[in-house]
Every structure is written in structure tokens, then in C-alpha cells.
Amino acid sequence: MATGVWLTRRWQINMPVMALTGWQLVLGGMMLAPAAWLLDAPLPALTASQYAAYTYLSLAGAFVAYGLWFRGITRLPGVAVASLGLLSPLTAVLLGWVMLSQTLSSTALFGFIIVLISVLVVQRTSVRANENHQLFI
């Protein structure tokens, strides 16, 4: 993820965010396709609801989410963007706890709190550093 953030900020590709996102997803899929074809078992026949779920995951879970991600990369400091990637597993744990009634051990809860605090500290520090930087410009 860090390499993607760095390259996106470094190259400054002059392309609409959703077009850039689409191309990155297509190219990534093309790179993974040979390995998936060679290593994975063939999919069973899919039902209409499974196709609908796959379409939803492809559009909402990948295209829209990555579009928002790349838009954030262009508007936020790199440190702030990179630390936000830590929220993905926290969201998964929280949704599993709330929606699926999964249990959260004391160790997992402690780790959850540490990661959440670290993301908040990085975000606050990033905002302060950005404000101080603008004072000197």
C-alpha cells in the first residue's frame, strides 16, 4: 500500500480519479489472472444472486472505495493517507462484532484500541504539521 501511495503522489498522473482507479484495477486484475487461472480451482456454476453479489463487491467494494482512496491521496498528506489503511481491519473487526455477534477477546480489544489511538495520533500530528507548514509559506 505504501508503494502505491508513494507512486501515485510521485507520478501525478493527470487523469480523472475514477479513470485512474479503473485502469489500476484492470491492470492489477490482468497481472493476477494468470496466477489465479493456474493455481485456483475452477469456480462452480454461479447463481443470479451470486453474480449480483459479485457485481456489488466489484463496484462498491473496489471501484468506489478505491476511487475515494485515490482522491484522498491527492488531497491529504501522505502520512495521513498511509495510516488510514490501518482502519480497514478495524472496520472488519467492528462489523464482525456488531453484525455477526463475533466475540472480541481482551487481547484483540487491546490491540484494536492501540491501533485506533495510533491512527488518531498520526492524523492529529499530520494536521498540526500541515498547519505549521502553511504558516511558513
Side-chain angles (χ1 to χ4, degrees):
M1 183 182 345
T3 304
V5 171
W6 181 76
L7 288 174
T8 301
R9 293 183 65 84
R10 179 172 160 71
W11 287 341
Q12 297 292 320
I13 298 172
N14 190 14
M15 184 184 288
V17 171
M18 295 311 277
L20 177 65
T21 303
W23 278 111
Q24 288 192 7
L25 290 171
V26 166
L27 293 173
M30 288 173 55
M31 285 188 253
L32 291 173
W37 185 69
L38 290 171
L39 301 173
D40 280 346
L43 288 175
L46 300 177
T47 65
S49 64
Q50 290 168 330
Y51 275 114
Y54 182 73
T55 301
Y56 169 77
L57 285 174
S58 297
L59 294 176
F63 191 64
V64 173
Y66 279 111
L68 292 172
W69 174 255
F70 289 119
R71 184 171 182 254
I73 289 173
T74 62
R75 295 176 182 234
L76 297 170
V79 172
V81 173
S83 70
L84 290 176
L86 297 172
L87 293 179
S88 181
L90 293 184
T91 303
V93 167
L94 190 61
L95 287 174
W97 179 63
V98 171
M99 299 179 83
L100 302 175
S101 301
Q102 293 178 340
T103 59
L104 199 58
S105 70
S106 58
T107 306
L109 182 60
F110 182 67
F112 184 95
I113 292 168
I114 287 175
V115 171
L116 188 58
I117 289 171
S118 69
V119 169
L120 292 172
V121 168
V122 167
Q123 295 300 316
R124 286 182 55 98
T125 304
S126 179
V127 168
R128 285 186 189 153
N130 194 27
E131 288 171 355
N132 291 338
H133 181 275
Q134 288 177 356
L135 291 175
F136 293 111
I137 294 179

